[in-house]
Amino acid sequence: QSQLVESGGGLVQPGGSLRLSCSVSGFTLDANGIGWFRQAPGKEREGVSCISSSGRSTNYADSVRGRFTISRDIAKNTVYLQMNSLKPEDTAVYYCAAGYDHPNACGLGPKSIRDKYNYWGQGTQVTVSS
């Protein structure tokens, strides 16, 4: 059974850092792209970052580029999102998702969310506040 479980969320002050983990089971990271998405109160779910199944391609939302880094550990079947220089605007529930796609490409837009990512985790809360 395919499953994704997020962890690592919590309360952090502006300028602080958190590392989110996405542990996957029932499939291999070699065959699936993984994306991180977030949803703030009153807002639609938006793409944050993704890594293709080959590991060769990563994408970042403009709002997080230079601050967030996505990575993966094949042996541990885990994808990470390192978040630095956090801002209050980063406050949201963060989800990871998996799906089949081109081995050297991954998407973050609404169509990718709708059609490409088949499995979703339950989400982890990230709150950035003084």
Side-chain angles (χ1 to χ4, degrees):
Q1 186 176 25
S2 300
Q3 188 176 39
L4 299 88
V5 179
E6 304 96 333
S7 62
L11 175 64
V12 64
Q13 294 184 349
S17 298
L18 284 174
R19 189 180 74 163
L20 305 183
S21 297
C22 176
S23 298
V24 306
S25 60
F27 58 91
T28 175
L29 294 178
D30 290 334
N32 288 269
I34 302 293
W36 283 99
F37 305 85
R38 66 187 183 186
Q39 188 164 21
K43 301 292 184 66
E44 293 186 354
R45 190 167 300 185
E46 64 173 347
V48 176
S49 183
C50 62
I51 183 168
S52 65
S53 58
S54 72
R56 296 178 180 175
S57 180
T58 58
N59 286 319
Y60 296 92
D62 290 341
S63 59
V64 308
R65 186 174 291 108
R67 299 188 296 120
F68 292 9
T69 303
I70 191 170
S71 62
R72 69 181 189 179
D73 187 325
I74 297 294
K76 295 182 178 179
N77 246 31
T78 300
V79 177
Y80 304 97
L81 184 68
Q82 179 66 46
M83 306 186 295
N84 298 328
S85 302
L86 283 163
K87 306 174 180 179
E89 303 85 80
D90 296 316
T91 296
V93 177
Y94 283 71
Y95 302 87
C96 63
Y100 292 105
D101 207 342
H102 192 285
N104 295 318
C106 64
L108 295 173
K111 288 189 177 294
S112 293
I113 296 174
R114 185 183 305 111
D115 300 330
K116 297 291 186 179
Y117 295 97
N118 304 308
Y119 308 102
W120 291 79
Q122 81 290 343
T124 184
Q125 176 71 47
V126 172
T127 302
V128 185
S129 179
S130 299

